[in-house]
Amino acid sequence: MKKSQDKLTRRKLLKTLSSLPVVGGLVGTGLLTPQMMHAAVETPASRNFFKELGLRTFINAAGTYTSMTGSLMSDNVLSAITFGATEYVDLDELQDKVGERIAELLECEYATVTSGAFGAMSIGMAGVLCGMDTSKVSQLPDTTGLKNEVILQEAHNIGYSQALTNVGGKLVRVKTAKELEKAINKNTAMLWFLNANTEEGEIKREEFVAVGKKHGIPTFIDCAADVPPVENLFKFTKMGFDLVAFSGGKGIRGPQSAGLLLGKRKHIEAARLHTPPRGTTIGRGMKVNKEEVLGMLAAVETYLQKDHDAEWKLWESQIKLISDSALSVKGVKTEIHVPPHANHVPSLRITWDENVVKITAEDARKKLKDGHPSIATVGNKDTIGITTWMMVPGQERIVAQRVKEVLENA
Ligand SMILES: *Cc1c(COP(=O)(O)O)cnc(C)c1O
């Protein structure tokens, strides 16, 4: 580097550093050594990035939404991530070992850590399309010469199946078991089931798996948001699904951009052919770093060890607290419910007579979001929807208070 350029870069760096809270005072004093500069850009524990960036954080009374940055990771997971950042390791070897460990914990044949449930579906599909034929891997999403049809139920086609079409899968929609049998042909690559919409579809899981087995076609189930219950981590591989996808950053509370692909070794090994470090693959952009791989392992271990009954009771009591608080306002009604599949947690629906409580649900939710502290909820034009499982314990009291205030002062 030329001298003048060197100076310029240094000046630029000093300017940048002077805007950082800790270093600012040292810039220009001549006391800033390169070592100190390096140390200075390290993050003091007290640094509030969100505040610095002008971002408002909020209490998550909504649930596990990607737009709301998913779930919060536990200390165990954070420790694993921090540990992972301290040394180098071979990425494939790490995935091999962690895959074995997770498979052992979840009592399935094999496993791998993916870039979310969506990434698990894409690489799972890619693996099914190409098998172990490495000469085919780089042709995706072009499926010339490959079986490429994926059959799913009409009621399961809610958007996530794009993970399959992205890599070359072609969707074939059916409604009944009869139609399913009829749709199967020599181009059928896979059968795909969306667990969240189990009730909406006519064909149930066991029957779906049986059809796949009968025709020798692999079956895949999307269980992204399906813990709790913890048993689901075991249930669907044991039921006979060849591949099962879970989100890492929902109920398991691992890294938000990680996920799990569980199931048959031959399909997961085929899926891995499409993932980094291998390039010229459709999955090259679905990289999972070593920190996330370890974070996911720690999250699975932590989740398995949890006292699930105690956690459930906590959620129930939190929901009741908020419900009672809302009910103390005249004209308000609440309903506590548990979705049968996906986001299967105690949930609260708050409605009211708008002649008595003169605010729309949308405006009430906006008031909660814009208030202090900010509270994110879900809902539609008639309801406020609340869950407590993504809250930090204690926040339920603030939510109970704020909901009451907003409705009372309407
Ligand atoms: C959240 C979700 C996904 C996507 O999961 P990511 O882990 O965010 O990639 C896929 N399918 C369903 C049913 C989901 O709820």
Side-chain angles (χ1 to χ4, degrees):
M1 203 187 269
K2 282 207 304 260
K3 196 85 198 244
S4 61
Q5 239 179 0
D6 198 15
K7 241 184 177 160
L8 195 69
T9 318
R10 195 177 144 76
R11 207 180 311 139
K12 236 173 149 179
L13 176 64
L14 287 175
K15 200 168 160 227
T16 311
L17 287 174
S18 69
S19 73
L20 293 175
V22 186
V23 215
L26 292 174
V27 173
T29 60
L31 292 171
L32 207 60
T33 64
Q35 289 81 359
M36 286 168 75
M37 282 193 202
H38 179 72
V41 289
E42 282 179 8
T43 310
S46 60
R47 188 171 168 196
N48 189 334
F49 282 94
F50 295 136
K51 214 167 167 182
E52 267 178 47
L53 294 166
L55 293 167
R56 266 197 101 189
T57 57
F58 50 83
I59 292 175
N60 182 354
T64 56
Y65 291 89
T66 295
S67 62
M68 299 183 192
T69 58
S71 55
L72 297 181
M73 294 180 277
S74 67
D75 288 344
N76 285 351
V77 176
L78 294 176
S79 299
I81 288 173
T82 308
F83 172 82
T86 58
E87 291 204 72
Y88 298 99
V89 71
D90 182 276
L91 181 60
D92 257 338
E93 283 177 16
L94 175 72
Q95 280 279 24
D96 286 348
K97 299 277 185 195
V98 169
E100 294 290 353
R101 179 79 75 88
I102 291 176
E104 204 180 297
L105 289 168
L106 301 183
E107 297 168 15
C108 55
E109 206 175 290
Y110 201 37
T112 195
V113 179
T114 62
S115 58
F118 203 88
M121 287 193 276
S122 287
I123 65 161
M125 177 83 253
V128 165
L129 289 169
C130 301
M132 293 306 283
D133 188 342
T134 49
S135 71
K136 295 191 171 128
V137 164
S138 62
Q139 85 173 61
L140 295 185
D142 174 5
T143 54
T144 308
L146 306 174
K147 295 179 180 187
N148 67 350
E149 292 180 12
V150 184
I151 310 178
L152 72 161
Q153 298 183 70
E154 189 77 53
H156 291 204
N157 194 37
I158 61 163
Y160 288 112
S161 51
Q162 173 135 17
L164 313 172
T165 54
N166 278 354
V167 301
K170 186 169 159 271
L171 303 184
V172 176
R173 297 176 198 88
V174 298
K175 284 205 180 105
T176 62
K178 218 171 175 177
E179 282 177 29
L180 173 60
E181 287 271 2
K182 229 178 116 196
I184 291 173
N185 69 77
K186 63 178 183 6
N187 278 323
T188 308
M190 194 170 86
L191 310 182
W192 184 79
F193 196 100
L194 176 70
N195 196 54
N197 282 26
T198 296
E199 299 307 315
E200 286 79 0
E202 202 172 290
I203 315 166
K204 300 308 173 202
R205 291 175 298 229
E206 285 84 353
E207 189 176 11
F208 203 74
V209 167
V211 173
K213 288 208 188 308
K214 180 176 153 197
H215 294 273
I217 299 165
T219 48
F220 195 136
I221 186 165
D222 172 0
C223 289
D226 286 287
V227 290
V230 61
E231 292 78 18
N232 279 355
L233 287 171
F234 305 82
K235 183 172 169 180
F236 302 109
T237 50
K238 288 189 197 298
M239 193 181 278
F241 279 97
D242 295 281
L243 289 166
V244 183
F246 281 96
S247 285
K250 290 181 180 169
I252 304 173
R253 290 182 56 192
Q256 165 63 184
S257 45
L260 294 173
L261 181 61
L262 311 175
K264 289 278 154 34
R265 179 179 288 272
K266 77 167 187 183
H267 293 305
I268 293 176
E269 281 179 351
R272 288 269 307 275
L273 294 179
H274 300 265
T275 64
R278 284 153 290 279
T280 57
T281 66
I282 197 124
R284 180 60 180 81
M286 301 173 202
K287 194 190 304 197
V288 190
N289 62 36
K290 66 180 182 305
E291 293 79 5
E292 286 182 318
V293 173
L294 292 185
M296 200 60 237
L297 172 61
V300 169
E301 288 172 349
T302 306
Y303 188 67
L304 292 176
Q305 284 160 12
K306 224 175 219 178
D307 184 341
H308 296 278
D309 291 338
E311 190 172 51
W312 189 271
K313 286 197 185 100
L314 172 71
W315 293 334
E316 280 184 334
S317 72
Q318 290 171 321
I319 286 289
K320 183 167 184 308
L321 181 90
I322 300 167
S323 173
D324 287 349
S325 183
L327 286 173
S328 70
V329 182
K330 206 170 152 253
V332 173
K333 279 191 194 143
T334 65
E335 184 201 341
I336 296 170
H337 66 108
V338 179
H341 312 282
N343 304 301
H344 176 77
V345 292
S347 309
L348 183 66
R349 234 179 249 135
I350 308 173
T351 54
W352 54 89
D353 179 351
E354 274 186 39
N355 295 315
V356 184
V357 179
K358 294 189 165 60
I359 188 168
T360 65
E362 273 155 1
D363 286 346
R365 292 183 55 225
K366 187 169 181 325
K367 277 213 160 136
L368 289 170
K369 191 71 205 291
D370 293 344
H372 297 275
S374 173
I375 299 167
T377 56
V378 286
N380 55 33
K381 66 180 207 351
D382 301 315
T383 67
I384 298 178
I386 286 176
T387 62
T388 62
W389 65 319
M390 289 298 127
M391 288 181 194
V392 176
Q395 291 180 333
E396 71 279 4
R397 276 181 238 144
I398 302 169
V399 174
Q401 180 65 27
R402 284 293 300 144
V403 165
K404 184 179 166 191
E405 274 169 19
V406 165
L407 297 177
E408 217 164 40
N409 301 333

